[in-house]
Amino acid sequence: MTSSQSSSIETHKIPMQTENRKNIEQTEHSETRLIQTQFSEVTNGVAISRRDLPHLTFDDFRENALKLVRNNAKVVHFFGYEDDSKESSQNGNGGKIKLLALFRTNRVYRDRRYTLFAATCNAPDAYPSLTSECEPFHLFEREIAEQFGIVPDGHPWLKMVRYHPNSQGKPDAFGNDYSKDNDRNYYYTQDIPGNYPYYSVEGKEIHDVAVGPVHAGVIEPGHFRFNCIGERVLHLEIQLGYQHRGIENLIINAPFKRLPVIVEGIAGDTTVANAVSFAQAVEALTKINISDDAKKIRTIALELERLANHVGDLGALSGDVAFLPPANYCGRMRGDFLNMTLLICGNRFGKGLVRPGGVRFAIDSALCDEIMRRITELEIQVANVIDLLLITTPSVRDRFEDCGTVSRSDAHELGLVGTAGRACGLSYDARRAFPTEYYPNIDIPENAKSRGDVYARAKIRAEEVMQSIAIVKMLLSDSLIEIAPVELSFIETNFYEKDSKDYADFTPLAPDSFVVTINEAWRGELSHCILTDQTGKILRYKIKDPSFHNWSGLAMSLRDTGISDFPLNNKSYNLSYCGFDL
Amino acid sequence: MLDTLKNRIEQGYRTSKYPKQTISLPERYRGLPTINQYADADIVAKCVKACPQNAIITDSNADPNLFKANESSRKMVDMGRCVFCGTCERVSNGKFITFTQDFGYSVAEKAHLLTSGTVPDLAKHSKQHFKKLFGRSLQLRQVSAGGCNACEADLNVLATPFFDLARFGINFVASPRHADGLVVTGPISRNMRTALLQTYEALPAPKVVIAVGSCAITGGPFRESPEVSDGLDSILPVDLYIPGCPSHPLTNLHALLSFFKDRI
């Protein structure tokens, strides 16, 4: 799983456009100051004993977390979990809710490699908010308040995230009433948004525009509220949570055999990346190494997922500026990429392909040739449509440029990731920073842009489309893949050996352990975390979709922008509702 | 302008000839399951145990009245629960359940979701007055109610040139006031329930309700979560069930054409 295991394989260099290869990462971190911290280093995709995570007092935890973020570390995770084992209560005041924070930074070592730092602490019932001093904790603290009823005092905008009662039966952090249903599950007595008053602006000529949750198109539900003066948007408030299915809790309560299917349903357009993140975590907790061929097939599937979505987004952007030919071509070509995934695993979104232990389907030479033939044929068409959209049609450029601009410093403060972050000059790409699967052997070029507008977000996608096609072709042309062994899913084999009658309680995972996995999904950094208890059962499953960071970017893009540019900006981000809502 | 035209020529004509010509899906595609009623009991038990969706119905776990009607097929797959993941096919090595390339497996009655390898002809089981009312023009309003967005995506592609739904007089419209029917995806999360009911109320009668995907039919992968329902039919009357996770665009197209058109 880690890069060191694959070091024997020759590094492939793929031919890439190099126009943007000025080293932004270097300039981004011109200071060489190194940080000292009580948080300890953890490795992507490597399981450790929970005892090896430093368990700090809350005050130390808070102080170190703030220090890391002030030194440009980024919050990857900050969440609560329930743990009432005796051992964990030694430090601090003995509550059963704990907090875990995980940061990424390249500021600690002189060689500037990206590193992850994690620590835990006991959660007080209320605590001085970190957000009041440091913006990037904003949404994480609201999520903790919602899930566990733990109140961050002094939080600047303590509002619900997904609108569901906390799991602890504590007083509601947002003052909503909740009750218990027949199955003793908590539910809010009022419909979303409860007693929350949406942000409002007052004054002559000020008006609100409310959209959703049911939108005009065939898309997911969400509520958008624009505070406008005339056509100009002063502020956009985004209320999500309509897709909330309670996935994190369902994973804890469901039998292990259901987990791969649940995980594939976190976000359908990110099926492969979620399945890979889950599989890596389980593999780490069961000490299973997967074959290089399986890694290659996972990498191909991840890139095909990126291709289908990016091509679809380019088409949608074109449609939103009323340039219909590329909209239709991209719609069709997106389908062609999905159909390649269908060829590999029988499902257009890659459902059923990735399982802990490997992949379920091999790519034999006939299939390899067929995908190669299709992708080579498409490559020219895709390149020409991108040319038509972004280069030869000035009216499109005119609409894309300077629309919905987010500055690099705002993007940095908000912690934007993935295509949204790269469009603002933040070059972070998890495929380069924390390479998994076959990525340690692939040179992923930097492609950050400086404009931060719709054009930059489109251009990033266009470049990544051509890069991904090159990666898929490179992997397919490698002879090794022809003999990819198909591994029976780990659960299928292990499950029967145990033959336990009570398979609802079956777990193959190492007890008292912690693992985090990070992958670059097509929208950006996707991360899963598993904490297990003393019997190996999952104590906490945390999922963080890149959209968790990026929705605030969309709101920022709309500041002082004409309301008619909302659809265009929305498509340029194309964020996940269900990945956020969980 | 020349570039636009050059591009147009390169792209060519892409619309499929379906349903006049059949389309065959790739070998690995998992459509309508077939069941070997004589499979080894051990293999059957293994599959029942392995199925992540508990979708395999046999003597051991079925309602005793279920098999009265048809004694000869005592092993069935509940396509409403099934996510077509293929675990049973792999575990039984194709000796018990296999998935065919048949994508036309949608049904008009919930009982028909239980299959032992065949489904009734949808065209004959659909409500005939709907064909008269909507056969030439059908406007649908889609509500996404808590799914993973894959079903929505595969409904959306019906508008792309390959499928070109509009050539059959069927469109997805922006307002429920303009719609004849409601297409629901997702397991109907608590937070979407009211919005879904309000959308249904806003539809002029007679209203058609279509459940797409295993989530909308039974809660799918999210069943048993307190945040979701156990199926659209517990909330609204459902006229057409399109199983799948997600259902292939051709499954959607086949269902709409068979259910609403006099002849296809």
Side-chain angles (χ1 to χ4, degrees), chain B residues 23-81:
Chain B
I23 297 179
S24 56
L25 287 173
E27 190 194 332
R28 289 178 181 177
Y29 166 73
R30 294 178 293 278
L32 179 69
T34 58
I35 293 164
N36 171 14
Q37 296 292 335
Y38 308 103
D40 200 71
D42 278 1
I43 293 177
V44 174
K46 257 186 164 185
C47 290
V48 169
K49 187 176 162 189
C51 177
Q53 291 298 99
N54 293 346
I56 303 170
I57 317 281
T58 65
D59 287 334
S60 63
N61 60 1
D63 173 353
N65 294 323
L66 185 66
F67 297 118
K68 276 190 182 157
N70 190 355
E71 278 289 323
S72 65
S73 34
R74 299 179 71 89
K75 300 180 184 70
M76 301 202 258
V77 170
D78 181 348
M79 288 196 297
R81 286 187 159 225

Side-chain angles (χ1 to χ4, degrees), chain A residues 162 191 215 217-218 220 241-243 245 257-258 265 268 329 332 344-346 348 360 362 384 496 499, chain B residues 8 10-11 28 30 46 49-52 54 85 87 90 141 146 148-149 154 156 189 191 194 221 223 225:
Chain A
R162 305 183 179 99
D191 276 331
H215 299 291
V218 183
E220 298 176 81
Y242 295 89
Q243 298 270 74
R245 292 144 286 165
K257 66 170 182 174
R258 284 184 61 188
Y329 307 153
R332 190 269 301 176
I344 297 174
C345 71
R348 282 156 54 92
R360 282 176 150 185
N384 289 344
Y496 297 117
D499 203 37
Chain B
R8 178 70 196 86
E10 181 184 79
Q11 288 285 327
R28 289 178 181 177
R30 294 178 293 278
K46 257 186 164 185
K49 187 176 162 189
C51 177
N54 293 346
C85 68
T87 301
R90 295 171 61 81
R141 172 64 252 194
C148 77
N149 201 29
D154 268 352
N156 243 331
S189 55
N191 287 342
T194 302
R223 68 197 163 83
S225 166

Side-chain angles (χ1 to χ4, degrees), chain B residues 78 107-114 217-218 230-231 233-234 241:
Chain B
D78 181 348
V107 297
E109 285 167 39
K110 196 168 192 188
H112 295 163
L113 289 166
L114 294 176
I217 301 174
T218 62
D230 50 8
D233 67 337
S234 66
Y241 297 87

Side-chain angles (χ1 to χ4, degrees), chain A residues 432-545:
Chain A
R432 218 173 33 243
F434 303 107
T436 58
E437 304 304 336
Y438 211 68
Y439 290 113
N441 312 305
I442 302 171
D443 185 27
I444 305 289
E446 283 180 32
N447 62 348
K449 302 277 172 279
S450 53
R451 304 184 60 108
D453 54 6
V454 170
Y455 183 78
R457 290 185 284 274
K459 184 84 175 143
I460 293 270
R461 282 182 171 75
E463 284 177 10
E464 290 183 9
V465 163
M466 300 321 287
Q467 289 162 11
S468 295
I469 290 177
I471 292 170
V472 173
K473 284 176 77 175
M474 186 269 293
L475 289 170
L476 287 173
S477 61
D478 199 316
S479 60
L480 268 175
I481 206 156
E482 288 185 19
I483 48 160
V486 186
E487 296 179 42
L488 259 181
S489 119
F490 172 74
I491 173 71
E492 281 167 32
T493 44
N494 236 314
F495 193 50
Y496 297 117
E497 281 166 21
K498 304 265 176 194
D499 203 37
S500 105
K501 273 188 187 159
D502 195 4
Y503 60 86
D505 285 334
F506 165 77
T507 171
L509 306 178
D512 274 325
S513 299
F514 162 80
V515 66
V516 58
T517 59
I518 295 178
N519 287 285
E520 186 77 9
W522 65 275
R523 285 191 184 90
E525 177 191 86
L526 174 71
S527 182
H528 289 208
C529 258
I530 302 182
L531 290 159
T532 58
D533 69 9
Q534 62 276 16
T535 64
K537 274 186 78 79
I538 297 176
L539 188 71
R540 179 76 162 112
Y541 198 104
K542 187 79 200 85
I543 302 151
K544 192 208 62 189
D545 189 273

